[in-house]
Amino acid sequence: PFKEGYLQAPPSDHFDLHSQGPTTDTKYKPYELIPGLNIGGFFDAGDFDIETGSNINVVQNFVRTWELFRSERDETFVSQKQRYVDLHRPDGVPDLLQFIEHGTLNLVAQAEILGHMSQTLSNSVLDNYHHLGDAASITDGLHYDPSLKPYEVSADGKSSGTPDDLWAFTTRNPSLDFRAATMFAAASHALKGYNDELANRALTQSKRLMTEAEELMKKRKNERKNDNEFGGYGDMDAALMLYGATGEKQYLNKFEGMIWKALDRNVSFTMQSALDAIPYMDEAYKKKLTPYVKKYKEYIDSLGIENPYGIPMGTRNWAGNSQVASFGTTVCFAHKYYPEIIGKDYIFSSANYLFGCHPYHNYSFVAAPGAARPKNVFYGNNRADFSFIPGNMAPGVLFRKPDHFENYDDWPFLWGQNEGTIAGNTQYIIFGSALKSMLK
C-alpha cells in the first residue's frame, strides 16, 4: 500500500515509543526519500507500521517452523513482481517459504540501503497509524509537498498537499543488528534452493552486521550487560545460525566459547539457544548439556510454586502469552532431546494455559482452536467490528497491582490484553507445531 516509499525521519520523539536520535545514522537527510524500502514486511497488528524487531521475530519463527516441521501447506498466491497476493488460491509453493521470503525482502533492504537495521518504518501522521480501514486507503501514493494546499496535487502528478508519507526511524542499535544477523543466517539457509539470490544477500548481510555490531558493542562498553568476549547473547545466536548456514568452523568455535558461560548466568533464558545447537553438535555436547537441562527442570518446577499453572506469568503492562508460548516451545524441545529428564506431562502446561486454564475466564486465547469457547474479540485491523482474525493469539491476562487479573472479551481496544501481534501469532505457530509433533 505504500508505493511512494519512506522518508528519513527527522530528529523527534514520535508516538508509540518511536523516536529518531539527534542524527540519522544514515546518508539521508531528514525528510529525504529513501528509495527501495517499500518492499515486503508485515504490519505489526492493528497498526500500519513495519516494526523491525517484530519482523525479525516473525521471520525466525517461520524459518524454525519450516526447517523443523516442513509444512507444505499452500493456500496463498503470492507474486512479488506484481506486488499481488490472493488468499485461498494455491500457487504451487509452500506458504511458509513465501512468508519467509516476504519478511526477508524488507529486512535485507533495510540492511543494504541504510547500512543497518531501522528501529521501525512507520506513519508520520497519528490518524493514519490507528486508521480503521484497509491499509491501501491511507495514502494517495504521492509525495507530500508542504507548498501545496491540502488534497491539492501538483501539475506533474508526483506530489500532493496530503501529509501521509511514511517515515523510517533509523537510529542504529547494535543489539538489533545482532538479532538481524541471526535471522538473516537462518533465512539464508531456509531460502537456499528456492530464492538463491535473496539467500545470498541475507547471508552477506548476516556476516557484515555481526562483525560491525561486535565492533560497536566493544566501543559502547558502558552499555554492555555482561563481560563475555563479544558483548552479549546476540552474537552467540548469530554465530550458531551462521555455522548452520555456512558450515564454517569459526562460527561454531565462537558459539561454543559463549554458550556455557551464558547457561551459567541464566539457564532459563539460554536453554532454547542450547537446544537449537543439538542438531549441529556431537554426543559430547549433548552429554555436557545434561546437568543444565536438570537445572532447567528445577526452574520449571519452581514455577508451580509461584502460580498454580506452572508457567511464567507476565506481570507487566503487556500480558505474557508470548512468553508462555516461548516457554512451551523450549519445554517441548527439552522433552524431545531429554525425555528422561523432562517428562511428557511438562509439555502440557503452556497449552492448558493458552487454551483456557487461566485466571479471569476460561476462553481460549487462540482464536479458533483449543477450547469450547475461544475469544471473540481482538485488537487487530478489524477491531472496530469487535471481531477477530483466525489464528490470533491474545497477549492474555493482564495483572493489575496489587491483586487484579483481567482480559476483557467485550472491548478489543485494550491492546495490552487483546492485540493479535505478528510476533505473538507466529510464536504460537512454532509452539503449536512443536506441541503437535510431541503428541504424535
Side-chain angles (χ1 to χ4, degrees):
F2 302 123
K3 292 181 180 179
E4 71 265 52
Y6 293 82
L7 306 183
Q8 172 66 62
S12 60
D13 287 324
H14 210 49
F15 47 75
D16 204 7
L17 303 180
H18 302 158
S19 65
Q20 179 65 50
T23 62
T24 64
D25 288 339
T26 70
K27 64 182 180 181
Y28 300 98
K29 299 176 181 178
Y31 304 108
E32 183 180 354
L33 176 67
I34 304 175
L37 292 181
N38 54 342
I39 182 172
F42 299 96
F43 291 134
D44 192 23
D47 314 310
F48 296 102
D49 62 325
I50 295 179
E51 205 279 317
T52 299
S54 292
N55 273 261
I56 288 172
N57 286 344
V58 165
V59 174
Q60 284 185 301
N61 289 332
F62 281 143
V63 167
R64 178 173 286 175
T65 305
W66 172 250
E67 301 244 292
L68 292 171
F69 306 109
R70 220 65 176 183
S71 171
E72 299 285 344
R73 182 182 176 88
D74 175 22
E75 293 291 337
T76 314
F77 178 91
V78 180
S79 171
Q80 293 293 340
K81 184 177 181 180
Q82 296 172 283
R83 302 176 72 103
Y84 179 75
V85 173
D86 196 9
L87 301 178
H88 306 294
R89 176 186 168 192
D91 60 2
V93 181
D95 290 343
L96 269 177
L97 267 182
Q98 293 175 315
F99 297 159
I100 294 167
E101 177 186 45
H102 191 71
T104 304
L105 280 168
N106 180 265
L107 295 164
V108 163
Q110 290 186 33
E112 292 174 340
I113 295 166
L114 303 176
H116 57 272
M117 306 313 295
S118 73
Q119 297 295 308
T120 190
L121 307 175
S122 189
N123 305 86
S124 60
V125 182
L126 181 59
D127 186 59
N128 287 355
Y129 191 62
H130 57 63
H131 177 66
L132 289 174
D134 181 77
S137 65
I138 294 177
T139 173
D140 58 11
L142 305 174
H143 295 297
Y144 174 57
D145 184 345
S147 68
L148 298 174
K149 296 178 181 179
Y151 304 106
E152 182 183 4
V153 178
S154 63
D156 60 6
K158 294 183 178 180
S159 57
S160 77
T162 307
D164 57 11
D165 297 62
L166 280 84
W167 288 357
F169 293 83
T170 57
T171 300
R172 187 164 200 178
N173 180 341
S175 295
L176 198 61
D177 287 350
F178 272 136
R179 290 177 56 199
T182 304
M183 175 272 304
F184 282 142
S188 170
H189 189 263
L191 290 167
K192 195 172 296 183
Y194 167 63
N195 187 334
D196 289 335
E197 187 263 343
L198 183 59
N200 292 334
R201 289 168 60 195
L203 187 58
T204 297
Q205 295 307 315
S206 177
K207 294 178 177 179
R208 180 183 67 81
L209 286 177
M210 182 172 175
T211 299
E212 293 182 7
E214 286 176 351
E215 293 171 354
L216 280 171
M217 280 292 211
K218 288 174 182 177
K219 291 179 181 178
R220 301 180 184 183
K221 291 183 179 180
N222 61 318
E223 296 181 8
R224 284 165 53 170
K225 295 183 178 180
N226 52 58
D227 59 359
N228 71 53
E229 181 181 356
F230 300 103
Y233 294 127
D235 40 349
M236 179 182 73
D237 291 330
L240 178 63
M241 291 299 104
L242 277 167
Y243 175 68
T246 67
E248 295 178 20
K249 202 74 180 240
Q250 58 169 318
Y251 297 119
L252 179 61
N253 293 339
K254 182 175 288 190
F255 175 81
E256 289 188 305
M258 300 174 68
I259 183 62
W260 307 112
K261 292 179 182 178
L263 285 165
D264 286 334
R265 285 192 184 93
N266 190 326
V267 70
S268 64
F269 183 80
T270 317
M271 181 51 63
Q272 185 64 60
S273 297
L275 295 171
D276 286 342
I278 287 178
Y280 305 111
M281 300 298 189
D282 56 19
E283 280 299 315
Y285 172 87
K286 189 176 178 183
K287 185 175 180 180
K288 188 175 180 179
L289 186 59
T290 299
Y292 292 100
V293 177
K294 291 179 179 177
K295 190 174 180 181
Y296 184 68
K297 179 181 181 296
E298 292 175 4
Y299 161 72
I300 298 174
D301 290 337
S302 73
L303 294 172
I305 300 173
E306 293 183 6
N307 63 74
Y309 309 103
I311 50 93
M313 290 184 64
T315 57
R316 300 183 180 179
N317 287 331
W318 186 274
N321 278 355
S322 233
Q323 184 181 352
V324 173
S326 178
F327 166 76
T329 302
T330 302
V331 172
C332 283
F333 282 101
H335 168 72
K336 175 182 179 180
Y337 295 123
Y338 298 90
E340 72 282 2
I341 300 174
I342 309 295
K344 204 163 195 175
D345 289 348
Y346 284 92
I347 71 176
F348 292 111
S349 57
S350 291
N352 290 340
Y353 187 88
L354 293 176
F355 293 153
C357 184
H358 47 247
Y360 197 77
H361 54 54
N362 62 354
Y363 304 156
S364 170
F365 285 129
V366 183
R373 197 322 199 156
K375 275 179 64 64
N376 278 336
V377 300
F378 282 77
Y379 184 99
N381 57 28
N382 60 352
R383 59 194 177 277
D385 298 323
F386 283 63
S387 188
F388 66 93
I389 299 170
N392 271 155
M393 181 180 76
V397 175
L398 201 63
F399 177 65
R400 303 288 193 186
K401 295 182 179 180
D403 59 0
H404 176 63
F405 293 97
E406 68 178 35
N407 181 272
Y408 284 102
D409 199 50
D410 57 358
W411 189 250
F413 300 98
L414 300 172
W415 56 84
Q417 306 173 27
N418 291 328
E419 185 171 9
T421 66
I422 50 170
N425 294 346
T426 53
Q427 182 62 57
Y428 175 76
I429 289 175
I430 179 63
F431 166 65
S433 299
L435 178 67
K436 182 179 179 181
S437 72
M438 294 301 104
L439 297 179
K440 286 183 178 180

